[in-house]
Amino acid sequence: MPPTPLIYGLAHITDTDGRLLIFKSGAGKWRLPGGPALREETARNAMAYYTRRDLHIRIEPRFVLGMELIHESRSTAYLFACTPLHADDIARIKLPGARSDIAAFAFVDYPGIAEGVSPHEHRLVTEAARALRGARAT
């Protein structure tokens, strides 16, 4: 039986310097904040829930920045542009601890996201950077 397709809501959260927030798992993999939606849930709501759960702060999603089909699972990931975090917001971040596999978080420049990130998240972030650069140029 083929896997049931899921939708994922992922957050594109930057600091005021434009660096992207990513999580590091206990296994050493890096990923964007967010997670899978429940059957009756939207990708936007899933992204907001997981980000609030994992960071202990509320973020404001602004618009869909990108979408990527994950062929091996027949799932779709949606990347939401979120309001940038200021220093006081970042200071309030608390990782979930033992109940999660999130070991750390970091703000990285876009070239720094290539290693240790899943291919579909890498494509989403690369396309987002391109789109955001294009929006600033106009």
Side-chain angles (χ1 to χ4, degrees):
M1 181 180 225
T4 303
L6 293 172
I7 60 170
Y8 288 84
L10 303 174
H12 183 277
I13 303 170
T14 61
D15 62 10
T16 54
D17 293 326
R19 296 174 303 162
L20 184 66
L21 173 67
I22 59 175
F23 290 147
K24 185 175 189 177
S25 72
K29 300 282 186 189
W30 289 96
R31 69 174 180 84
L32 294 168
L38 299 173
R39 184 176 304 201
E40 65 280 354
E41 190 176 34
T42 65
R44 181 186 176 111
N45 287 346
M47 180 273 312
Y49 166 76
Y50 282 102
T51 303
R52 186 175 55 251
R53 183 194 76 177
D54 294 340
L55 297 174
H56 295 131
I57 62 171
R58 292 190 185 274
I59 52 98
E60 185 61 37
R62 296 174 20 219
F63 53 88
V64 175
L65 189 53
M67 180 185 112
E68 175 78 17
L69 181 63
I70 307 166
H71 294 286
E72 57 274 6
S73 64
R74 298 182 333 142
S75 301
T76 305
Y78 294 88
L79 181 63
F80 292 87
C82 299
T83 305
L85 297 179
H86 293 27
D88 57 331
D89 299 318
I90 296 167
R92 287 195 309 272
I93 292 175
K94 295 179 200 160
L95 293 179
R99 66 180 171 89
S100 170
D101 79 331
I102 298 171
F105 71 92
F107 286 90
V108 299
D109 293 320
Y110 280 101
I113 196 167
E115 289 187 37
V117 176
S118 72
H120 72 272
E121 287 189 14
H122 184 278
R123 285 188 297 272
L124 273 170
V125 169
T126 301
E127 289 302 315
R130 212 172 280 135
L132 291 170
R133 275 194 307 273
R136 286 187 201 113
T138 59

